[in-house]
Amino acid sequence: MNRQFTRYRYFSCTVVLFSLILSCQGITNALRPLLISEEDEIKLGNSFKAQILSDTREYPQYNRNQAVIRFVDSVGQYLASVQDERPNLPFTFTILDKDDEINAFAIPGGHVFVYTGLLRNIQSTSELAGVLAHEIAHITLYHGVNKMVQGEALNLVNTILFGSDSSSIAGAIANLVESLAFLKLSKNDEYDADKYSVRYTTDAGINPAGMKHFLKFLLDKYSEEPKIFEPLSTHPRTSERINAIEKEISRTPGAPKDDTSLLYKEEYQKIKGLI
């Protein structure tokens, strides 16, 4: 029997079983690998990224200054290199050219997107690192993948991974990207991503207070519930996120004891002037 067909039948059967289980208990790390392997996730993520970048009106890719592109990628790659949850997963960091979007988001498979609006409003490399580490954590903790193995999204994943009709596969990819199912994250997902942002930046030798500084900026600008980061997430109140980050920093070994060192403000201001 054809190996692809055998795997398709296995996946189709498990979809029904696990959909019932997940609807009652929620996704667990023990069940997810039975539905989507890391290889599958990378394949899906690459398809989603290509679909996103094909929409040049909604997601225009920044290409005006290579120094800016290299800098954001270098910070992201360095942070990705210090995490040990998923050491074999390749990461990409892409800038989207929209100055009115103070935002960033991550999709499964290792892809992080940052808008120029965010780059223009942060003040230090530490703030940039905090945001990138937050998005990296959504990937390393499987937050987006977990959402894709729940509900109707799982059927679309099935079509993409095992379908033979190219138009159906393309339609499923477009549907998932349009619905942004992998960005419908919970408050706990956001708190966990903030927690790991502190860990990753500290391990990288960058002050984790940068994320706190950026959240304070958002609090001043948007009040308690800014519609940024993952646009469909259920976000905690910004002040509560700031308090949680402060507590996490206080109990993180190696984190700086003040908010002024290892921010790399001058370094970032040079890059900011090139955007």
Side-chain angles (χ1 to χ4, degrees):
M1 183 179 291
N2 181 276
R3 183 180 179 184
Q4 180 79 354
F5 180 68
T6 302
R7 192 175 180 215
Y8 176 85
R9 288 186 61 191
Y10 170 76
F11 191 95
S12 298
C13 292
T14 56
V15 164
V16 176
L17 174 61
F18 284 116
S19 291
L20 293 174
I21 295 173
L22 298 178
S23 65
C24 299
Q25 300 177 3
I27 185 66
T28 68
N29 288 335
L31 295 178
R32 182 193 58 254
L34 299 176
L35 299 176
I36 299 180
S37 67
E38 184 165 271
E39 181 181 358
D40 292 333
E41 181 190 346
I42 292 171
K43 177 182 177 180
L44 290 164
N46 289 342
S47 297
F48 297 153
K49 181 180 179 181
Q51 178 70 22
I52 287 170
L53 294 181
S54 71
D55 186 352
T56 56
R57 182 174 181 178
E58 186 66 26
Y59 303 103
Q61 189 170 358
Y62 174 89
N63 57 15
R64 284 180 279 121
N65 193 302
Q66 290 299 311
V68 175
I69 295 170
R70 288 194 299 269
F71 182 79
V72 171
D73 182 69
S74 67
V75 174
Q77 296 296 344
Y78 181 48
L79 289 164
S81 73
V82 303
Q83 60 83 22
D84 54 13
E85 282 71 36
R86 307 188 65 182
N88 298 320
L89 186 67
F91 282 81
T92 70
F93 300 87
T94 303
I95 303 174
L96 300 175
D97 200 355
K98 276 192 174 182
D99 288 348
D100 59 344
E101 288 277 357
I102 306 176
N103 213 336
F105 64 93
I107 64 174
H111 304 296
V112 175
F113 296 84
V114 182
Y115 286 93
T116 52
L118 185 142
L119 297 178
R120 291 185 183 279
N121 280 278
I122 60 180
Q123 302 301 318
S124 68
T125 301
S126 175
E127 290 184 35
L128 173 63
V131 172
L132 293 181
H134 174 97
E135 299 303 335
I136 290 169
H138 279 310
I139 296 169
T140 60
L141 300 177
Y142 298 96
H143 290 160
V145 182
N146 288 350
K147 294 303 176 184
M148 289 198 304
V149 296
Q150 297 174 353
E152 295 180 3
L154 189 55
N155 292 324
L156 295 173
V157 168
N158 185 14
T159 299
I160 296 168
L161 292 177
F162 309 115
S164 57
D165 178 27
S166 58
S167 62
S168 296
I169 294 172
I173 292 170
N175 193 320
L176 271 173
V177 170
E178 183 178 1
S179 68
L180 297 176
F182 38 76
L183 297 186
K184 297 177 181 178
L185 308 179
S186 68
K187 285 186 179 181
N188 285 338
D189 290 338
E190 295 300 334
Y191 278 128
D192 283 346
D194 284 344
K195 176 181 177 180
Y196 275 74
S197 173
V198 170
R199 173 179 153 186
Y200 293 161
T201 49
T202 299
D203 289 348
I206 301 172
N207 196 327
M211 186 62 174
K212 181 182 75 172
H213 294 167
F214 181 64
L215 288 174
K216 285 183 175 180
F217 158 76
L218 295 179
L219 183 62
D220 291 340
K221 186 174 180 64
Y222 295 111
S223 189
E224 283 288 0
E225 297 182 1
K227 300 300 181 183
I228 76 145
F229 291 109
E230 300 69 37
L232 302 180
S233 290
T234 304
H235 287 95
R237 290 166 62 87
T238 304
S239 60
E240 293 172 355
R241 290 180 67 186
I242 292 170
N243 290 337
I245 286 174
E246 288 177 338
K247 291 178 181 178
E248 189 63 31
I249 291 173
S250 70
R251 57 178 174 247
T252 298
K257 301 303 181 183
D258 61 73
D259 285 357
T260 60
S261 62
L262 302 175
L263 297 177
Y264 305 109
K265 286 186 175 182
E266 292 184 4
E267 172 191 61
Y268 186 75
Q269 291 303 317
K270 293 177 182 178
I271 292 297
K272 188 174 178 178
L274 301 175
I275 299 171

